[in-house]
Amino acid sequence: MAGIKLKNISTKAPKDTNKAKTKEKTEEIIAALDELQNTMYAQHKHSVLIVIQGMDASGKDGAIRNVFGHLNPQGVLVQSYKVPTAEELDHDFLWRIHKHAPGKGMIQVFNRSHYEDILVTRVHKLCDDKTAVKRMRSINDFEWLLQEHNNTSILKFYLHVSPEEQQERLNERINDKHKQWKYNESDFTEAKLWDEYMKMYEDCFEHCNKVPWHIVPSDNNWYKEYIIAKTLYDTLSGLKLRYPGLKK
Amino acid sequence: MAGIKLKNISTKAPKDTNKAKTKEKTEEIIAALDELQNTMYAQHKHSVLIVIQGMDASGKDGAIRNVFGHLNPQGVLVQSYKVPTAEELDHDFLWRIHKHAPGKGMIQVFNRSHYEDILVTRVHKLCDDKTAVKRMRSINDFEWLLQEHNNTSILKFYLHVSPEEQQERLNERINDKHKQWKYNESDFTEAKLWDEYMKMYEDCFEHCNKVPWHIVPSDNNWYKEYIIAKTLYDTLSGLKLRYPGLKK
């Protein structure tokens, strides 16, 4: 993904996509996912790590709620990464991440992730380029570790919204009672750093792409949810999951 | 350390070493270590990981008790790795290790470690050569991570005893009331696999040596303790530790 330019990638559903039909397909896929997940849990061999990254108001919480909220919570864990705690800062940046790597049979969702350590930190000059290069190397090593040593399939999603869509959603947060709890004055300050964020995301896509990134057009939530569900479905379908039968 | 042959390396203190004087020196070093450790704790910048490996009855427990037992326990943690639990087996082999990586200011001692996953497991054919190569790669990546991202100094000690000394110590366990709790019938079966263990250790020293191994002649406990204390002392002395002064 060298030389990728996010502003050249559409943030919208392709023009000929039918919203109602897509939503119907998403529902079907989620029903099928439920069965696949149950099989994976029973087989106790594979695991899935789902990394969700995106700008403020890109719809990370909604994606998690609408795609994973219909699966058996016994087999799905969600971990949200916020500003590191004092204990977390006492350790290397992957310490708090590795802790929550999925066990066999599990789907682990990361709402933000180790990628923040080469995104927000770089934008705010808390991480220089030399440190970022080291972190990228260790991120690649870490993802390889999970894949090679614990049969973990890793899916990385970048929820791609336009700055205009973001502004609209941030403004909504001020007026909608159900969304006010998400409002944070600093979101608008962060939004001004848009170009800088895009640059860091592009750099990340270029250098941490041994496990490929899925850039999900996310101005339309129904389309974003479809893509995430479909990608997970394709992945699980490729694992040759099966119920293990009676224990010998 | 390519082509190293353990049987060509002495397991005894060098001939001209004076036992009484060495013990005195060890005591002095440990007193100095206490001060260095306190400074490191206060400075809250560096950390130390000490990996102790060795055959049964090579004196791992004694080394920990006698060298680290005199330091402030607030700054020293010991983690013993036994047969993995079900939860640990659900994850990659470094999951249970990374959890206990030292925080800033701390000394973390591992009594056995991630190296068991390329030692006992290989001897018992639970890990094939291909898996071992992958594990070695991830071990090297992991140690690099701790060094580069959290200022962790890693000291790896192999407590080198002769098979004759081991037999003597295992027999002692049967008759000494203070040691009977350590007796395990299977130790004698394991001891028969001596040559196989040496082969796996030699392979480990060859391929996981980016952080160098210290092969400690351990037939004489007083000499073993001296070497470990001295190596730690030299390491901490090299860190330019200093009290940080008043917070600004």
Side-chain angles (χ1 to χ4, degrees), chain A:
Chain A
M1 292 181 101
I4 196 174
K5 287 283 167 209
L6 281 167
K7 65 176 175 187
N8 297 336
I9 299 176
S10 172
T11 55
K12 292 183 185 8
K15 268 190 183 153
D16 52 348
T17 323
N18 180 298
K19 179 174 173 180
K21 277 189 185 161
T22 303
K23 285 183 106 165
E24 225 171 84
K25 272 199 276 182
T26 304
E27 267 178 48
E28 285 167 25
I29 290 172
I30 287 174
L33 276 179
D34 189 48
E35 177 60 18
L36 283 167
Q37 183 217 15
N38 203 45
T39 316
M40 187 173 81
Y41 189 85
Q43 188 175 4
H44 201 79
K45 181 180 171 187
H46 300 276
S47 58
V48 178
L49 174 61
I50 293 168
V51 170
I52 301 189
Q53 284 288 153
M55 298 292 282
D56 287 330
S58 59
K60 299 182 288 296
D61 292 350
I64 292 169
R65 184 176 182 172
N66 294 321
V67 177
F68 301 97
H70 301 279
L71 303 181
N72 183 349
Q74 187 157 274
V76 180
L77 293 169
V78 180
Q79 179 64 24
S80 288
Y81 287 100
K82 316 244 176 207
V83 176
T85 64
E87 193 194 12
E88 288 167 353
L89 287 174
D90 271 359
H91 294 85
D92 69 272
F93 76 108
L94 290 172
W95 182 77
R96 67 176 187 157
I97 306 294
H98 201 170
K99 263 188 188 179
H100 294 284
K104 290 186 174 64
M106 298 298 291
I107 295 177
Q108 174 72 55
V109 182
F110 283 173
N111 186 348
R112 303 190 186 269
S113 67
H114 41 302
Y115 284 101
E116 291 299 326
D117 288 292
I118 52 167
L119 293 166
V120 61
T121 48
R122 292 187 84 186
V123 170
H124 289 282
K125 316 285 181 208
L126 301 167
C127 167
D128 60 26
D129 289 352
K130 205 180 141 193
T131 306
V133 167
K134 282 189 194 178
R135 288 186 182 173
M136 287 168 176
R137 171 173 160 181
S138 286
I139 287 172
N140 290 333
D141 291 342
F142 172 67
E143 293 179 354
W144 189 84
L145 169 78
L146 301 187
Q147 287 181 317
E148 292 294 319
H149 296 286
N150 208 34
N151 289 322
T152 304
S153 301
I154 304 175
L155 295 174
K156 303 192 295 197
F157 296 106
Y158 170 68
L159 308 193
H160 187 36
V161 289
S162 62
E164 297 75 27
E165 178 68 22
Q166 187 202 39
Q167 283 300 315
E168 202 170 300
R169 292 182 186 180
L170 290 177
N171 282 318
E172 255 177 46
R173 288 186 178 175
I174 298 176
N175 302 312
D176 183 336
K177 273 198 180 167
H178 293 92
K179 294 183 179 172
Q180 285 173 348
W181 67 279
K182 286 193 167 192
Y183 174 71
N184 197 327
E185 232 181 320
S186 71
D187 290 349
F188 286 98
T189 332
E190 285 301 293
K192 286 181 191 150
L193 299 166
W194 186 274
D195 291 344
E196 198 57 24
Y197 269 104
M198 292 304 107
K199 211 177 109 187
M200 295 313 167
Y201 265 110
E202 286 160 1
D203 203 37
C204 157
F205 297 153
E206 182 169 345
H207 295 105
C208 293
N209 202 40
K210 291 195 183 175
V211 175
W213 280 92
H214 299 270
I215 297 174
V216 185
S218 298
D219 280 359
N220 313 97
N221 284 323
W222 53 270
Y223 187 71
K224 165 195 78 182
E225 286 156 17
Y226 167 73
I227 292 293
I228 294 175
K230 178 75 166 62
T231 308
L232 177 57
Y233 176 83
D234 291 345
T235 301
L236 292 183
S237 301
L239 292 181
K240 295 178 189 169
L241 300 173
R242 56 174 184 74
Y243 286 99
L246 284 177
K247 284 199 182 83
K248 278 165 198 167

Side-chain angles (χ1 to χ4, degrees), chain B residues 27-28 49 52 57 60 90 96 98 108 151 189 206 217 235 238:
Chain B
E27 268 178 48
E28 285 167 25
L49 174 61
I52 301 189
K60 299 181 289 295
D90 270 0
R96 66 176 188 157
H98 201 171
Q108 174 73 56
N151 290 323
T189 332
E206 183 168 348
T235 302

